[in-house]
Amino acid sequence: MDVTATRRPWLLRKPTADSTYRLFLLPYSGVGASMYARWPARLGPAEVCLVQPPGRENRFREPHYGRYEDYAAALVDDIRPLLDRPFAFFGHCSSALAGFATALHLQRLGLPVPDRLFVSSEVAPHDGPYGRFLEMDDEALGVELAGLIRAMGGRPQPDAIEVGLGVLRADLAANRRYVFPEPVRLATAITVIGWTDDREIRPEQMVGWRDYSRDVRFVTLRGDHHAFLAAPPALRGEIMRDLERTARDADT
């Protein structure tokens, strides 16, 4: 059976059967997989696979996942047949925690783990929960959500803001619940990506990730908190550098 022919609710589009590497992109709080609309379909050796959590966009009628642990378990159940070749996760802000939770879940089950976890603009789990969004009221969150929609190239509409607020509140609640007393070591490499003009998470606040793997690489790129949305060349270059290195190592 061709697993790519089976509908996968957690992926926005079907992966191809002949891809040799898969890069799963996880959307962050309040929005869905379409936030990666400006990313290419491939990055180096990797096919880009857009993860779509429940409660948003084409899955808006489904109940929210609740906790990152439940997010990870449901995602793994869905994409497990696709983990038959090298893969990696990319998450920005809160979705970096979802990516970490999924990698940890795979590790604890004894299943294949990602070759690399790309963490953009997020503190390590034992240094959180952190972020000004966590303490905002609905009015302030609505302003931020409208700004994000504009950054994604859209026009904020009242109905869309109201729906997005419900998702955002639930996502932020999941973030608040995800508390680690101390670091947990992953059997996967980590690339930690900071941004020079990021007002939400400064690069120096991300150093705690160094305790989560034996192979941790820190990169600081030019741009603000939303710069990743356009998949700028510098970001694509750093991702491809790591993925191509992994592909070379697998061939030797």
Side-chain angles (χ1 to χ4, degrees):
M1 179 181 178
D2 180 1
V3 296
T4 63
T6 304
R7 181 179 178 272
R8 318 220 73 82
W10 277 81
L11 296 184
L12 192 62
R13 60 184 180 231
K14 296 176 183 176
T16 61
D18 60 352
S19 60
T20 59
Y21 203 111
R22 290 178 175 134
L23 173 62
F24 295 93
L25 307 184
L26 286 65
Y28 72 3
S29 295
V31 293
S34 65
M35 74 182 305
Y36 291 109
R38 286 183 276 174
W39 281 55
R42 299 193 66 86
L43 280 175
E47 177 181 16
V48 169
C49 301
L50 306 182
V51 173
Q52 185 71 291
R56 63 209 76 204
E57 295 182 350
N58 63 319
R59 301 185 70 190
F60 78 97
R61 295 185 184 278
E62 300 178 44
H64 192 270
Y65 55 84
R67 305 182 308 151
Y68 288 141
E69 293 88 347
D70 297 321
Y71 179 120
L75 175 57
V76 167
D77 283 347
D78 191 71
I79 67 170
R80 184 169 176 173
L82 303 175
L83 307 183
D84 59 344
R85 62 207 65 190
F87 65 98
F89 294 148
F90 174 93
H92 178 84
C93 199
S94 61
S95 66
L97 297 177
F100 167 78
T102 306
L104 182 59
H105 184 68
L106 287 166
Q107 179 170 296
R108 287 173 171 171
L109 290 178
L111 294 173
V113 297
D115 293 315
R116 189 164 291 269
L117 172 64
F118 293 94
V119 172
S120 175
S121 296
E122 182 56 81
V123 300
H126 73 285
D127 288 330
Y130 178 85
R132 63 190 182 93
F133 284 51
L134 297 175
E135 306 302 326
M136 286 183 177
D137 59 20
D138 281 2
E139 182 178 0
L141 286 173
V143 172
E144 296 292 338
L145 189 56
L148 174 57
I149 292 172
R150 293 188 188 95
M152 293 168 60
R155 291 186 177 183
Q157 301 295 332
D159 289 347
I161 293 295
E162 185 60 32
V163 171
L165 272 176
V167 176
L168 181 55
R169 284 193 296 264
D171 287 346
L172 292 174
N175 193 324
R176 293 188 195 96
R177 295 187 191 106
Y178 204 59
V179 178
F180 273 59
E182 58 187 10
V184 175
R185 189 65 68 95
L186 287 180
T188 187
I190 301 175
T191 298
V192 182
I193 304 166
W195 300 86
T196 56
D197 302 318
D198 194 335
R199 296 189 300 112
E200 307 301 335
I201 303 290
R202 300 296 305 154
E204 58 269 21
Q205 293 176 293
M206 303 171 67
V207 296
W209 286 104
R210 65 189 172 195
D211 297 321
Y212 283 76
S213 172
R214 294 180 61 185
D215 182 356
V216 182
R217 189 169 78 89
F218 290 86
V219 178
T220 301
L221 303 178
R222 299 191 66 81
D224 61 16
H225 192 67
H226 293 147
F228 80 102
L229 289 170
L235 175 59
R236 297 199 308 267
E238 295 295 341
I239 293 174
M240 287 189 289
R241 166 184 167 171
D242 285 336
L243 297 186
E244 288 169 352
R245 186 182 74 176
T246 300
R248 286 195 303 271
D249 292 345
D251 291 337
T252 58

